[in-house]
DNA sequence: GAAACGTATTAGAATCTGCTTGTATAAGCT
DNA sequence: AGCTTATACAAGCAGATTCTAATACGTTTC
């Protein structure tokens, strides 16, 4: 849906205002969208922020208390963050600790910077 | 749903693995989520990329041909990008030209960098 | 003014999301 | 082994999204 323009480039239309913008790499789009949609949800965003703030590993049990949804919902949210590459997880005994990836740190930092400069 | 922890901090639970992570600024969350959800959609992401690539103003008519959805859908998508602060728009005759904001440029650049470093 | 074009708005249908509830798995404790 | 705790998985449902079609609006051109 991205690479090849489905519509006929040489269409008979009367458009003459400007030329068509270039195409975009499909894989890149998929990757970016996975990141953006993973972060673009109240619960997941907040979980990620908390994980990032804590820095050195937060366990699910504490996150659960903080976001106001069920244990199951937290688990699902964390899975999603994990498969998007925004957090790593490590098992320790019966607990599981989550940590932010560099990707997450970079994106959150950009968002913070933008807010700071009110851009 | 963010600032105050709804669950009782001193609950009778047996959690002892780690302490609760700090809270997050509500407005910041809202702003970030508006950006993330605006970009986190195939159509809108692709439109934004194309607008950013073109740099100096693309009109709706050409974007339309590129993304494979109806004119109406493109218009709605652009409105959403606009109200999220990701693009500016300027009217010129009966055409409307869109340009990326610094916010959009910064976010896209971060995404590009991340992809580059495979982080 | 009327017709044609570029864009926006509205309304409704189809699809997607994110939650809850219930259950499963795995580890620790007695 | 049995019970409890920590986390994951599965199914189902309510509400949110996102598209299309139809229509409205503003400009340009005849």
């Amino acid at each position: 849906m991205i690479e090849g323009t489905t519509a006929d480039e040489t269409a008979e239309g009367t458009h003459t205002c400007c030329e068509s913008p270039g195409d975009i790499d499909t894989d890149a789009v998929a990757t970016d969208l996975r990141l953006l949609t993973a972060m673009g949800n109240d619960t997941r965003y907040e979980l990620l922020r908390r994980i990032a703030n804590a820095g050195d590993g937060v366990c699910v049990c504490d996150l659960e208390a903080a976001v106001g949804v069920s244990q199951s919902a937290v688990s699902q949210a964390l899975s999603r963050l994990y498969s998007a590459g925004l957090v790593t997880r490590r098992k320790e005994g019966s607990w599981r600790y989550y940590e932010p990836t560099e990707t997450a740190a970079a994106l959150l930092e950009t968002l913070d910077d933008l807010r700071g400069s009110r851009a």
Side-chain angles (χ1 to χ4, degrees), chain A:
Chain A
M1 196 199 266
I2 279 119
E3 212 93 47
T5 310
T6 42
D8 192 2
E9 297 286 0
T10 55
E12 77 295 335
T14 47
H15 293 321
T16 44
C17 51
C18 40
E19 68 281 5
S20 117
D23 278 340
I24 304 149
D25 177 40
T26 311
D27 288 347
V29 175
T31 306
D32 287 358
L33 279 177
R34 218 173 317 119
L35 290 174
L36 293 167
T37 57
M39 289 182 70
N41 163 265
D42 204 356
T43 299
R44 290 191 299 267
Y45 176 92
E46 209 187 320
L47 287 173
L48 185 59
R49 271 282 177 209
R50 295 187 123 92
I51 291 169
N53 284 351
D56 58 334
V58 194
C59 78
V60 182
C61 55
D62 286 320
L63 293 168
E64 228 176 293
V67 293
V69 294
S70 72
Q71 175 268 318
S72 176
V74 172
S75 179
Q76 290 172 63
L78 291 171
S79 280
R80 180 89 183 265
L81 291 174
Y82 175 73
S83 57
L86 288 164
V87 297
T88 61
R89 56 184 172 192
R90 125 182 81 91
K91 203 167 185 176
E92 202 157 302
S94 62
W95 284 288
R96 220 186 243 278
Y97 289 89
Y98 284 84
E99 286 179 63
T101 60
E102 288 190 19
T103 301
L107 286 168
L108 290 173
E109 197 190 319
T110 301
L111 289 168
D112 287 341
D113 288 352
L114 287 170
R115 208 167 26 254
S117 65
R118 200 187 261 69

